[in-house]
């Protein structure tokens, strides 16, 4: 358990008052990569939201990057989100400011003060996602793939222990999806743990990792070659 970066035991996941997943057991070790699959409405997004503190955990035991999800208070959520990186399907970038200023906004919001260190960190993460020359652009001037690269750079700013990627290729064409997946794969190979919700089975087949499925109110691991 000491090496588990995420551990859920007999957890019930709710969306408002509706029970969407029951008796969830999941353990993700440091450095692991898991896909999370399932039909729309099967509970994937509700599970993700519970993990990053948008939904409260009511029943069962849950810990993520050292935080007890049952005891999580509103004031704890910013500290939790410094230790996890979140990548969304719709990027969630601020269109009224440049790529650089999008990342600067996050660093300031998570307690960074030193201007030189912030600048260095932004250049570092943009280089990791091959976007170092695009820092002066605004998100609407970028392609979808480029925007998702910036969103991944944002997720890396605080050197997170775990990255939660919620349908990160959902709004991208197949070629761009492949490029973004290759980037996430490189990040995983550098030692980061990743839990990625996806509908894109072509990526699951190409980049084989452990796969868990939400179906019929339950969460279970699936064999890679099984039909999904």
């Amino acid at each position: 358990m000491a090496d588990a970066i995420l551990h859920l035991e007999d957890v019930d996941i709710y969306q408002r008052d509706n029970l969407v997943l029951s008796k969830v057991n999941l353990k993700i070790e440091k450095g692991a990569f898991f896909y999370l699959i399932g039909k729309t409405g099967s509970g994937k997004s509700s599970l993700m939201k519970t993990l990053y503190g948008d939904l409260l955990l009511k029943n069962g035991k849950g810990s993520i990057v050292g935080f007890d999800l049952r005891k999580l208070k509103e004031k704890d959520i910013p500290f939790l989100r410094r230790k996890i990186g979140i990548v969304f399907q719709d990027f969630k970038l601020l269109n009224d400011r440049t790529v650089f200023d999008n990342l600067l906004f996050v660093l300031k919001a998570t307690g960074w003060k030193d201007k030189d260190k912030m600048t260095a960190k932004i250049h570092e993460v943009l280089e990791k996602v091959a976007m170092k020359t695009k820092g002066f652009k605004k998100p609407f001037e970028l392609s979808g793939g480029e925007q998702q690269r910036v969103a991944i750079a944002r997720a890396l700013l605080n050197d997170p222990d775990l990255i939660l990627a919620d349908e990160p290729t959902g709004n991208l064409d197949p070629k761009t999806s492949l490029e973004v997946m290759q980037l996430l794969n490189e990040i995983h190979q550098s030692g980061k743990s990743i839990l990625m919700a996806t509908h894109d089975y072509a990526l699951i087949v190409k980049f084989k990792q452990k796969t868990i499925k939400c179906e019929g109110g339950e969460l279970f691991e699936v064999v890679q070659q099984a039909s999904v």
Side-chain angles (χ1 to χ4, degrees):
M1 171 99 178
D3 288 323
I5 208 154
L6 167 62
H7 191 257
L8 303 178
E9 194 175 322
D10 290 333
V11 160
D12 291 338
I13 302 291
Y14 287 84
Q15 176 64 45
R16 298 190 183 89
D17 295 326
N18 298 323
L19 179 66
V20 289
L21 290 169
S22 61
K23 301 296 179 211
V24 170
N25 291 289
L26 176 62
K27 186 176 178 183
I28 294 182
E29 308 281 355
K30 193 168 174 55
F33 190 129
F34 277 76
Y35 292 117
L36 175 63
I37 65 172
K39 292 177 181 172
T40 301
S42 62
K44 297 194 309 297
S45 286
S46 297
L47 175 58
M48 285 290 208
K49 286 177 179 177
T50 303
L51 297 180
Y52 58 76
D54 252 20
L55 294 173
L56 292 175
L57 179 61
K58 299 174 183 177
N59 301 325
K61 294 180 183 174
S63 65
I64 183 168
V65 295
F67 287 81
D68 185 331
L69 288 168
R70 283 294 297 275
K71 296 177 180 173
L72 200 65
K73 301 280 192 296
E74 192 77 32
K75 63 179 174 59
D76 300 325
I77 291 172
F79 297 98
L80 166 65
R81 291 185 185 172
R82 282 180 211 183
K83 296 192 76 176
I84 56 177
I86 310 170
V87 181
F88 299 97
Q89 177 176 346
D90 55 356
F91 320 134
K92 296 199 186 303
L93 299 170
L94 302 167
N95 268 323
D96 64 341
R97 58 192 78 191
T98 64
V99 165
F100 184 94
D101 286 338
N102 263 271
L103 302 183
L104 185 64
F105 175 81
V106 173
L107 289 178
K108 286 179 175 176
T110 50
W112 289 59
K113 298 277 192 273
D114 186 303
K115 194 174 179 182
D116 290 340
K117 285 182 180 175
M118 287 192 284
T119 298
K121 189 67 189 180
I122 290 168
H123 288 317
E124 178 194 317
V125 295
L126 286 177
E127 186 159 23
K128 276 184 185 170
V129 301
M131 290 292 290
K132 196 169 182 182
T133 61
K134 304 288 177 80
F136 67 96
K137 293 204 168 189
K138 290 187 174 171
F140 62 83
E141 298 177 292
L142 303 174
S143 69
E146 288 173 332
Q147 288 186 64
Q148 194 59 291
R149 284 175 179 272
V150 174
I152 293 168
R154 180 183 58 198
L156 294 172
L157 281 170
N158 284 300
D159 292 316
D161 296 326
L162 173 65
I163 292 173
L164 300 176
D166 195 357
E167 301 281 357
T169 62
N171 284 340
L172 305 175
D173 63 74
K175 180 177 180 290
T176 309
S177 295
L178 195 60
E179 291 168 359
V180 166
M181 192 64 219
Q182 284 168 334
L183 175 59
L184 287 170
N185 208 43
E186 287 166 18
I187 290 165
H188 168 239
Q189 288 170 351
S190 76
K192 298 292 183 197
S193 312
I194 298 177
L195 175 61
M196 173 177 159
T198 185
H199 278 107
D200 196 333
Y201 297 121
L203 293 181
I204 293 172
V205 170
K206 186 170 178 63
F207 298 91
K208 289 182 170 56
Q209 301 289 356
K210 288 184 177 177
T211 302
I212 47 178
K213 186 173 188 178
C214 297
E215 186 175 71
E218 296 180 355
L219 183 77
F220 53 90
E221 192 164 338
V222 293
V223 180
Q224 181 64 247
Q225 296 304 326
S227 62
V228 285

